[in-house]
Amino acid sequence: MKISRRRALYGLAAIPLASRLSLSVGWGQVAASTLANDPQRPQYHLLPAKNWMNDPNGPIYWKGKYHLFFQYNPNAAVWGDMHWNHAVSEDMVYWKHLPIALAPTPGGPDKDGCFTGSIVVEKGVPTMLYTGVNPEVQCYATSTDPMLGKWDKDPKPVIAAPPPGLNVGGFRDPCPWREGDTWYMGIGSGIKKKGGNVLLYKSADLKNWEYLHPLASGTWNGKITEDTVDSGEQWECPDFFPMGKKYVLLYSTERKVYWQSGELDKKEMVFHSEHQGLLDDGAYYAPKSFTDPRGNRILWGWLPETRPVEDYKRAGWAGMMSLPRVLTLGSDGQLEMKVASDVEKLRGAQSKSSDAKALTIENYCGEVLCSTKELKESARLSLTAEGQSGPFYSLGYDPANADAPFTVNGKPTEGKVAGNKLNIRLFFDGSAVEVFINDRIASTRRIYLPGEKAVAVKVNFEGDNPAPDMTVWQVKPISKDRLTT
Ligand code: FRU
């Protein structure tokens, strides 16, 4: 990864690397009381008490607890100086923040940052594979600490360079998985002027890796950009796992997250995609999955800021974690996702309407379920949310627009639904709005309002159809303040 790119993107552009740390100290000084009362901070999405966060890292269920690590800058609310922060939970809903689990080692292969990675268990030992910078290399660490707070790093990278002869756009974010006795690992990469890919490696012990070939590849969008991610020449954060008889690949590029489902040819070890789509077309990036003790495939994702850098620097925090999404494949091979049922325990006061009457959520902190009966062709629907200063969110449905029947705030949202019944779930939280349509279309938005006392949610329904059933729940905050711990 080019440090310059991220510095430009997230607000460190004008600052030489050497003085970044000292400068960033000042930015990390927003008072805890200010953060705790900031109405734009979420009340039931996980985020650190202060400063910058991005990708989820190494999610794992270990010794009866859910562990979630994430990219974190301990000194500022802008990207930089990447560490792995750490939170633990009994239920993926309520969290306890733990000390930083992974920090750059001076003079080590991760001296300029501990980038994204995964945790798997080999012979009973939690083992971490992650990217160290600069240059991008793959690092190895193990833990015997039951709380996964302490990690013993190997002093040398386990993969010290990309395969020779490849003009790669980047080389990071390892995702290991096991087939029988063999470990495989995908690394997010790409070939300049060709396209992003996942480079596949093989190992018997997670330490000695042999390069095989690309597991999957994409195409360059033809643009010349400073950052290879923006041109599709670099795929970030691949995630690859079996689902029933099929396999699913997720990757992030051009600021979007894509999914593919298909067959893994286990002889050639090449993935053949059969279906693909956008996992979420909004403020959602770099997701990573793990298996919970019930065998569910759970996905965490990063909800980045969409406001100006100056605004979040001033606020003293940036980024939050999505709600946990349970992934499945439909019988037609399409990816489906549902917010984990554990989140329902946060449902508080409830109100209902089936005559299109507006319902109210207090403090921009609630859940909405809107479901229709079988729709006749003439159905058109719009769901709007309105705060003190007017409408701020709208979801539109128009079946006459066959290519893009759904819009969010007027912008077409990719994806179609099967059948002619709609089931829409919305989560409002501080400055995040996550929507799920028929468990297939997801579109996350960040919408910053000065401090809403009440949000009125209303469905307008046109055509010769009965009004949908709507239920609104007030969602109970996961902590007594907005520090989420
Ligand atoms: C994705 C990403 C990863 C990288 C990490 C650095 O958002 O760019 O590719 O490992 O963030 O923070």
Side-chain angles (χ1 to χ4, degrees):
M1 134 143 349
K2 279 200 188 140
I3 299 269
S4 62
R5 166 204 171 221
R6 286 288 152 148
R7 291 167 64 214
L9 209 59
Y10 299 128
L12 292 171
I15 302 153
L17 209 55
S19 44
R20 198 173 70 197
L21 254 179
S22 56
L23 259 178
S24 65
V25 168
W27 297 342
Q29 299 306 317
V30 174
S33 56
T34 306
L35 289 154
N37 292 310
D38 180 343
Q40 296 177 344
R41 281 174 66 87
Q43 305 219 57
Y44 61 96
H45 286 71
L46 171 69
L47 83 174
K50 59 179 179 177
N51 291 332
W52 169 277
M53 67 156 276
N54 55 293
D55 317 356
N57 293 158
I60 186 169
Y61 183 76
W62 185 245
K63 298 206 182 291
K65 293 189 180 3
Y66 295 92
H67 291 262
L68 188 51
F69 303 83
F70 50 88
Q71 291 282 281
Y72 181 64
N73 182 349
N75 297 299
V78 289
W79 184 87
D81 196 18
M82 294 328 295
H83 289 57
W84 281 35
N85 208 339
H86 185 190
V88 68
S89 170
E90 306 271 336
D91 55 6
M92 298 193 287
V93 175
Y94 293 99
W95 295 91
K96 185 173 159 41
H97 289 288
L98 297 179
I100 283 172
L102 202 65
T105 300
D110 62 5
K111 61 183 185 323
D112 286 328
C114 301
F115 277 17
T116 282
S118 308
I119 298 172
V120 288
V121 179
E122 162 70 346
K123 302 207 167 84
V125 181
T127 304
M128 181 191 276
L129 287 140
Y130 68 100
T131 300
V133 287
N134 224 353
E136 289 174 358
V137 295
Q138 313 318 319
C139 299
Y140 171 104
T142 54
S143 180
T144 49
D145 172 4
M147 283 303 283
L148 303 182
K150 295 192 188 66
W151 291 85
D152 298 318
K153 294 179 185 175
D154 247 36
K156 287 213 175 89
V158 287
I159 305 179
L166 295 186
N167 187 15
V168 300
F171 185 61
R172 57 181 177 271
D173 312 333
C175 69
W177 84 99
R178 195 206 295 263
E179 296 286 339
D181 291 339
T182 307
W183 284 102
Y184 290 91
M185 180 160 78
I187 298 183
S189 189
I191 309 293
K192 288 192 190 139
K193 302 207 165 166
K194 283 201 164 150
N197 63 20
V198 180
L199 299 178
L200 183 66
Y201 286 74
K202 177 182 171 180
S203 171
D205 58 4
L206 292 175
K207 266 196 147 174
N208 296 288
W209 291 98
E210 177 197 345
Y211 174 62
L212 298 178
H213 47 248
L215 173 72
S217 306
T219 42
W220 175 41
N221 68 16
K223 292 184 195 145
I224 306 285
T225 53
E226 194 210 332
D227 179 354
T228 50
V229 175
D230 294 325
S231 54
E233 291 165 285
Q234 167 70 20
W235 285 0
E236 299 186 289
C237 303
D239 202 32
F240 189 70
F241 48 87
M243 187 146 268
K245 292 202 169 81
K246 301 287 179 181
Y247 277 74
V248 173
L249 170 69
L250 310 179
Y251 59 93
S252 298
T253 191
E254 297 177 70
R255 303 187 193 206
K256 296 191 193 102
V257 183
Y258 294 87
W259 64 266
Q260 298 186 350
S261 70
E263 294 277 344
L264 176 65
D265 175 341
K266 293 198 181 171
K267 209 158 149 253
E268 303 294 330
M269 283 308 285
V270 178
F271 174 62
H272 297 287
S273 164
E274 295 166 338
H275 304 277
Q276 51 273 314
L278 270 182
L279 192 139
D280 186 315
D281 75 344
Y284 185 90
Y285 201 70
K288 191 157 200 71
S289 72
F290 76 108
T291 317
D292 79 1
R294 295 162 283 194
N296 291 325
R297 181 56 66 169
I298 308 283
L299 189 71
W300 296 107
W302 164 42
L303 311 190
E305 298 301 313
T306 56
R307 55 182 164 169
V309 176
E310 285 308 321
D311 288 6
Y312 59 76
K313 251 198 245 175
R314 201 175 313 118
W317 65 280
M320 66 175 89
M321 199 62 78
S322 68
L323 296 173
R325 299 179 180 183
V326 182
L327 300 182
T328 48
L329 277 183
S331 52
D332 56 359
Q334 298 290 307
L335 188 73
E336 299 186 331
M337 60 198 127
K338 251 192 180 66
V339 168
S341 57
D342 312 70
V343 176
E344 289 168 19
K345 72 163 78 156
L346 296 176
R347 286 176 174 169
Q350 168 188 315
S351 50
K352 278 176 178 281
S353 98
S354 49
D355 58 0
K357 185 171 67 95
L359 298 174
T360 305
I361 293 169
E362 280 158 38
N363 296 324
Y364 200 148
C365 183
E367 179 189 342
V368 176
L369 175 64
C370 171
S371 49
T372 71
K373 310 217 164 45
E374 299 278 331
L375 295 176
K376 293 175 198 154
E377 271 171 28
S378 58
R380 276 178 13 124
L381 172 149
S382 70
L383 183 151
T384 47
E386 190 170 326
Q388 280 121 251
S389 49
F392 65 92
Y393 182 84
S394 70
L395 176 75
Y397 171 66
D398 182 357
N401 189 343
D403 287 339
F406 295 97
T407 53
V408 175
N409 282 358
K411 186 174 160 271
T413 282
E414 192 177 288
K416 293 176 197 161
V417 294
N420 56 355
K421 268 183 176 179
L422 294 181
N423 182 284
I424 300 167
R425 265 182 101 183
L426 280 145
F427 294 85
F428 291 85
D429 193 8
S431 52
V433 185
E434 282 180 272
V435 67
F436 301 89
I437 305 167
N438 289 24
D439 301 334
R440 290 211 169 182
I441 299 175
S443 190
T444 303
R445 293 291 183 283
R446 300 294 308 277
I447 302 174
Y448 306 91
L449 302 171
E452 295 306 307
K453 294 272 173 295
V455 171
V457 184
K458 190 168 168 38
V459 203
N460 290 307
F461 212 62
E462 289 170 33
D464 181 20
N465 283 279
D469 289 327
M470 197 165 63
T471 310
V472 161
W473 289 271
Q474 197 58 39
V475 172
K476 292 181 246 169
I478 58 172
S479 68
K480 63 180 185 339
D481 51 31
R482 292 178 191 250
L483 304 178
T484 71
T485 195

